[in-house]
Structures are given as structure tokens and as C-alpha cells.
Amino acid sequence: MKQKRTINFLWVILLTALFISCQNDDLENQISELEEDLEQLQLVNSTLQLRTIINEAKLAELLILELIDQDESLLLNFENGDLYEVSKEIVFEYTIDNTNWELDLHLTDSTSISTYILGDELTTSDVTLNPFNIAPLSSIIKIETPVNGKFIVKVVGQDGPNSDIIIEPEHFGKTHSLEVFGLYANYDNEIELIFTNKEGVTRTSTSISIQTEELPSGLPTFEIVKQYESYNQNTLILVNYRPTHIPFMVDPHGKIRWYSEGFTKTGKYALQRFKNGNIGFGRSGNGQGSIFEYTMMGELIEEYSFYPEFENAHHDVYEMSNGNFLVAVNKVGITTIEDHIIEMDRNSGMISNVWDLREILPMDRFTLRKIGDGSDWFHVNAVIHDERDNTIIVSGQPQGLVKVTWDNQLKWILAPHEGWGSEYTNHLLQPTGEGFEWSWGQHAPLILPNGNLLQFDNGFGREFGNATSQYSRIVEYEILENEATVGGSISQKWQYGKERGDDMFASFISDVDYIDESATRFIVAGSTAFDHTYIDSLNTFGTPNIDQIETRIIEVNEAKDVLFEMTLSSSEHTGTTFRAEKLVVN
């Protein structure tokens, strides 16, 4: 009779609550779920059975989320979904230590057993904003928990749930140091700390607030021209904004959620997020030669120095799949600049390979542009690794793209054919097919999943100044290399930007990335406020327009639909964005 009376009592309570809360057609489904819950109810009628359940739960740190004290029994609701009804003929008394989350069950055989139960709300022991003094929108929260577990950290967004930043540390234990990023500046940020078991089942949550300071001066304002219809949570755009040398991350709503000061207030290139989640860049200027790696919190992890043999990490630091770096550098002690590439071993910090472009290319070809006195004859602005044949592809702004073997032998040249001597004829890629156009003053080459080459075609000096209109674009080329020899053919497969004309025209810097998950192109027209008039290789006139948009960031799909577009502008100066990349940060 006791078992039947208890279950009937539960039915009455649960069904009453169900009918009160249900005002739709889901009643039948909810009744079915209720029946399943009741089927999980397990009766415990012996001390041996209870000891086994409690000891196993304590060993596994399986928490009791709720204890319901009934007339003749206790209901124990465990976080794995198990529900036990324990007769008071077994347990005559119990005590709960809410501070330490402990439950003691005193049995009728004069013994006691204990396990873990959900207790008081957790409290943080320490909150440190900007813990390393260079990342003001980051924080470290320290918290102790009575039992081992994990945390999910939610920075509550200002623009709905998708603007929340969700951080899920892997640490499992009782002592937690939670790294928080994605805060808003000059704002009382709400941070929700969700405590879970190892499987991610929520045990309890608490909220704290973190007040931040205003943004530093000199950062741009943002206009969202086209908002995503949908985007992944934790989407941020890392921007290398050159006027202030303050890198920042902005969300799809045009709000800065991270920026870095301190040692980053110097000239830098190739700002990026490494595969391990850290931030990296190459430092240039003042004869220095280093790559820096630091965390989102601003903690310096490593400085990889290649000085004094080389200096000035300019334009590009490329992280290879094995972790090593390809770096565009200057060689100390020679009269030319920006014509060397080195490979740095990530583990040892040693230089493991060197490419000297002076050995394989003409240094007196100024057909498109002569920079200064000619010492910057190639002007490396990008380097990538082609794993298919272990070569590198190097972009030289006034020269074109070249492919070079690991032992510094020239494979091919992607450039207009004017100005190359006869010894390079076989290396020049030959255009085929309809609609082909060369790229001019290009940046940011990359290899697509289909093996084709994508790059930002700046359009600087297009057709040596004879083009009827100016435009920048991203262009996809298919290159068919001559087997076992040099050179090959090239055809144009796709482009975007020509149809937009002047509003996307960026005569220098700029970037393009390919987003694998969505098969989209992420474009950065980084210098749209500069009007360059090209006369010839020795005469180029540039006029910055402070009232014009400085940077246009666009994401398009294969069909050329604009999925997202944002502009950056500044009232204080005419700025440029060297590169930017779309991230899903966790």
C-alpha cells in the first residue's frame, strides 16, 4: 500500500502542475515524458541497496540535485537522471551541509553514509580585469567548488543570444581559474558562470558583473551595411588596424569585444590567431627581428627572435601545418630589403631554411613600380606553403607571384609578361580561356580546397595605367604546371569585385580568406580612402580622403551573394586595415 500511495501522490502533483502549465497541443507528449520519468523511479528497501547506490555515487562524484522529504520516504534525484525513493524505515534522519555540498544519511542500523548534494550558490574568490595589463576586455575569475566539476562561462551579449560569448574551459577540478574575453568596453558586463559535471550536465549557476573602461582613442567606428542572416556564436573579426597599432576584435554588430595594448603598440604585421588559440604577429621597425605569441588574456607566451642575422618581420608570418613559421624578413648587412624568406623551427626557435630571392629573380625589373631607390625591388607582402609539392608561393607587390622550391629554385611566375628577360620566358604562366585578366599589386594568395589559387587583386596600375576604370577584386585562378619542368598555363575561374567598381577599390594592402565551413570568401578592402593616380612606374600620386570609408569588409558566397558587409571609418585620421580574419573564438 505504501508504494501505491506514494506513486499516486506523485501522479496527482505532477499532473496538476502539468494541466496548470499546459495551454497547447503538447499535452500528450508531456504526459508521455511524465510516464517515462515515473518509470525511472526506483524503490530502495534495504540498507545494502542504499549503501551501494550512495557509495557508487560518491565515488563517481554523482551529485544529488534535489532531496524531497515525503511522509514515509525520501526522493533522491541524481544529476544523471536516476530517481530513487528511499523508505524511512531505512533512513530515520539526514543532515545537509550546504556550504560543503555534503549529505549525511543516518540509517536505522545506527550507521551513517554520505555523498554529495547540491548546496549553496558558488561565490568567486577573485576577479582580475586585464590581468596582464595589455588586454583590457579580458578577465580572470578564480573560484573554488566543493566538488570536482567544469564551468561554462557566458558573457551576456547586448544583441541577443547569438551575441553571447560562450567559453568552455577543459579544466575539471575544484580550483578554477576562468579566462574570460568578449567583454564590452565602458559597460557593466554580466558574466554567467554555469557549473557542470564532467558530462556537461548543469548543477548550478551564478552571475557576476565586471565594469570596464572606455575604449582608447583612435579606433574606428563601424557601420553594418549587410547583417548576417545567421552566424555562429562566438564569431569575432580580428582586425589589424594600422593607424593606432591596436589590434582588436569586433563582433558582427560592430562592437569591439577585445583589444590589446602594451607591447603591441609598435609596427607589426601578420596579426593572426594561431591554431592553438594564441595571438601572434611579427614586429618590424628599429632593427628588431621577432615573432610574438601571447594569449587572449595578454600573457606573453614566447618571443621567437631571428636577430641579428635577419631583422624586421614585415608583411607576413605564415604558420605551417607542422607549427613552423615562414617569415618575410630583411637580411642584415645587405643593400636591398624585403627579399628574403626564412623558416623558423617552432620548437627550437632556430632558422631552418632561407630563401634569397636575389638568387633567382631579376633585381632591375621596375616595369610596374619602382619603390624609392629600387632597394625594395620585390617587396614581399605574402608567403604561403604549398604542401602538395613542398614549395612556397611568394607575392611581390610590384612583381607578381612566384613559386619557389624548398631549395630556392624558381618554378613559375604569375605576372604580366612585360619586362621579363628571355631567361624567364619558360617560367611565365601562359593565360588560356576567355575572360582572363592579370592581377595588379596583389596581396594575400591562398590555395583553395580545389587546388586553385585565390588572391586579392588590388588593381594598382591596372594595365600599366591604361585601364578604363579602377577596381579591386578577388580572383580565382587555375594553374596547370608543366610536369617535371617549369612554367605552365593559367586560366581565370571566378572573380568578385570588378562589378562593384570604385567602392571596393583598395590600391594597396588588403586581404582575402576562404572560410572552409561555409565555402565563402572573406574580403578586406583595406585602403579605400586612398585615391592613387598611376602615371607610370616612377610616378604615382596618392591622396588620402579623411571623410571616406577606410576599410570595407565583405563576405560573399560562390554565387556572389553578399552575406555580410561592414565598413570602418575614423574621424581622427585616415586609417588602413592591413588584414582581418573571421574567427569563431572559444
Side-chain angles (χ1 to χ4, degrees):
M1 287 297 294
K2 292 179 181 178
Q3 174 181 337
K4 183 176 180 181
R5 185 166 58 249
T6 301
I7 293 177
N8 287 340
F9 174 72
L10 284 171
W11 264 107
V12 171
I13 292 177
L14 293 172
L15 283 174
T16 300
L18 185 63
F19 278 107
I20 290 173
S21 63
C22 288
Q23 298 179 1
N24 51 48
D25 296 332
D26 293 335
L27 179 59
E28 184 175 339
N29 290 335
Q30 294 189 45
I31 290 175
S32 176
E33 292 175 4
L34 176 59
E35 290 174 341
E36 291 177 3
D37 290 340
L38 290 174
E39 287 176 1
Q40 293 178 358
L41 181 65
Q42 303 175 60
L43 303 178
V44 180
N45 293 309
S46 72
T47 56
L48 178 60
Q49 183 184 6
L50 180 60
R51 286 182 187 281
T52 301
I53 293 168
I54 295 301
N55 289 336
E56 289 179 353
K58 187 170 186 178
L59 185 64
E61 291 197 339
L62 188 64
L63 212 64
I64 295 174
L65 296 181
E66 186 179 23
L67 183 151
I68 301 174
D69 192 339
Q70 302 183 130
D71 290 340
E72 299 176 351
S73 63
L74 301 176
L75 288 181
L76 305 180
N77 183 14
F78 286 84
E79 60 186 349
N80 66 347
D82 287 344
L83 180 63
Y84 294 98
E85 182 180 14
V86 182
S87 171
K88 287 187 175 179
E89 294 181 356
I90 302 174
V91 178
F92 74 90
E93 190 180 22
Y94 63 89
T95 55
I96 297 176
D97 181 350
N98 284 304
T99 301
N100 296 304
W101 290 24
E102 292 181 350
L103 168 66
D104 289 325
L105 297 172
H106 306 289
L107 309 185
T108 53
D109 65 359
S110 301
T111 62
S112 297
I113 53 177
S114 64
T115 190
Y116 302 107
I117 189 169
L118 183 63
D120 290 340
E121 184 178 282
L122 300 173
T123 57
T124 56
S125 58
D126 183 34
V127 179
T128 304
L129 182 64
N130 194 9
F132 297 96
N133 297 316
I134 68 167
L137 300 184
S138 68
S139 178
I140 292 179
I141 300 173
K142 294 184 177 180
I143 189 168
E144 302 281 338
T145 56
V147 296
N148 288 310
K150 299 170 65 176
F151 274 96
I152 298 172
V153 181
K154 178 195 292 186
V155 180
V156 179
Q158 297 178 351
D159 299 284
N162 228 27
S163 65
D164 295 341
I165 297 293
I166 308 296
I167 305 161
E168 301 189 45
E170 295 181 357
H171 174 73
F172 180 82
K174 293 182 179 180
T175 301
H176 307 265
S177 182
L178 306 175
E179 297 184 350
V180 182
F181 57 87
L183 304 177
Y184 295 95
N186 193 28
Y187 185 68
D188 191 16
N189 293 267
E190 180 186 354
I191 316 299
E192 186 176 352
L193 306 177
I194 304 163
F195 185 54
T196 77
N197 65 8
K198 187 174 290 187
E199 287 71 37
V201 175
T202 298
R203 290 166 163 171
T204 187
S205 64
T206 186
S207 292
I208 65 169
S209 62
I210 299 178
Q211 178 67 49
T212 52
E213 297 181 355
E214 293 183 356
L215 291 170
S217 62
L219 294 177
T221 57
F222 307 89
E223 179 186 354
I224 307 302
V225 179
K226 173 72 167 65
Q227 182 58 276
Y228 288 111
E229 292 183 3
S230 64
Y231 62 90
N232 292 328
Q233 204 156 41
N234 288 28
T235 293
L236 297 174
I237 300 167
L238 174 63
V239 179
N240 189 351
Y241 193 63
R242 298 179 81 181
T244 57
H245 299 303
I246 297 176
F248 61 81
M249 293 187 190
V250 60
D251 70 15
H253 299 276
K255 297 177 180 177
I256 290 178
R257 309 291 294 271
W258 180 90
Y259 68 95
S260 182
E261 295 180 296
F263 64 82
T264 61
K265 283 188 173 180
T266 59
K268 61 188 170 299
Y269 284 95
L271 177 74
Q272 61 191 282
R273 195 164 191 252
F274 292 142
K275 295 179 180 67
N276 62 10
N278 291 336
I279 305 296
F281 68 92
R283 177 179 284 182
S284 64
N286 300 322
Q288 300 183 58
S290 294
I291 302 164
F292 287 87
E293 179 179 353
Y294 61 107
T295 69
M296 292 280 287
M297 298 296 101
E299 180 183 8
L300 180 62
I301 298 300
E302 193 66 66
E303 178 181 355
Y304 306 92
S305 177
F306 42 80
Y307 192 80
E309 184 178 0
F310 298 95
E311 64 182 358
N312 290 350
H314 65 85
H315 288 87
D316 211 358
V317 176
Y318 179 88
E319 185 182 20
M320 299 169 63
S321 60
N322 64 3
N324 289 354
F325 299 120
L326 297 175
V327 194
V329 295
N330 292 345
K331 183 173 176 60
V332 174
I334 64 174
T335 58
T336 59
I337 61 173
E338 301 193 1
D339 52 15
H340 278 70
I341 308 292
I342 62 172
E343 179 194 14
M344 289 198 71
D345 187 287
R346 185 76 162 272
N347 295 320
S348 67
M350 304 297 292
I351 297 171
S352 52
N353 203 7
V354 177
W355 292 264
D356 183 350
L357 299 180
R358 300 173 306 167
E359 297 176 357
I360 58 173
L361 292 168
M363 297 170 60
D364 57 354
R365 179 182 181 268
F366 304 119
T367 308
L368 176 65
R369 180 188 182 198
K370 184 177 182 180
I371 303 174
D373 62 0
S375 60
D376 191 6
W377 61 275
F378 191 79
H379 193 81
V380 172
N381 62 28
V383 58
I384 62 174
H385 182 219
D386 189 344
E387 295 184 355
R388 296 170 298 181
D389 56 1
N390 196 31
T391 56
I392 63 172
I393 296 174
V394 188
S395 171
Q397 194 262 5
Q399 303 293 353
L401 261 68
V402 295
K403 188 171 193 179
V404 184
T405 65
W406 207 251
D407 59 352
N408 203 36
Q409 300 299 311
L410 184 62
K411 289 280 289 181
W412 51 247
I413 301 169
L414 193 170
H417 291 184
E418 287 84 351
W420 297 97
S422 58
E423 64 268 40
Y424 297 99
T425 300
N426 292 336
H427 294 85
L428 294 169
L429 295 176
Q430 302 297 320
T432 62
E434 298 181 357
F436 180 85
E437 294 182 62
W438 294 111
S439 55
W440 303 81
Q442 75 295 316
H443 285 76
L446 62 89
I447 299 171
L448 293 168
N450 63 8
N452 291 346
L453 187 74
L454 184 72
Q455 62 184 343
F456 191 98
D457 171 11
N458 292 78
F460 171 78
R462 191 177 298 280
E463 302 295 342
F464 301 106
N466 295 316
T468 57
S469 62
Q470 63 179 11
Y471 54 88
S472 297
R473 62 182 187 146
I474 56 170
V475 58
E476 178 183 345
Y477 293 126
E478 181 183 30
I479 297 173
L480 299 178
E481 299 179 358
N482 292 329
E483 294 184 11
T485 182
V486 299
S489 64
I490 182 171
S491 59
Q492 182 173 307
K493 296 302 180 182
W494 186 89
Q495 72 84 38
Y496 174 82
K498 181 177 182 179
E499 58 271 46
R500 296 193 58 151
D502 193 62
D503 83 338
M504 205 183 93
F505 179 62
S507 56
F508 63 101
I509 58 178
S510 304
D511 191 19
V512 61
D513 293 321
Y514 180 80
I515 311 297
D516 289 304
E517 294 78 12
S518 55
T520 53
R521 284 81 172 161
F522 192 75
I523 307 165
V524 181
S527 56
T528 56
F530 287 78
D531 298 323
H532 278 99
T533 301
Y534 181 89
I535 305 299
D536 55 40
S537 63
L538 300 179
N539 296 281
T540 302
F541 304 98
T543 304
N545 184 350
I546 198 169
D547 297 321
Q548 189 172 322
I549 292 168
E550 302 166 349
T551 298
R552 194 176 290 273
I553 295 177
I554 308 164
E555 185 170 353
V556 298
N557 61 17
E558 182 77 22
K560 303 185 182 182
D561 301 316
V562 175
L563 307 178
F564 174 78
E565 185 164 344
M566 175 172 69
T567 63
L568 282 64
S569 304
S570 175
S571 60
E572 297 185 24
H573 47 68
T574 303
T576 57
T577 299
F578 179 65
R579 289 181 183 175
E581 58 181 309
K582 179 183 177 183
L583 306 171
V584 177
V585 185
N586 49 35

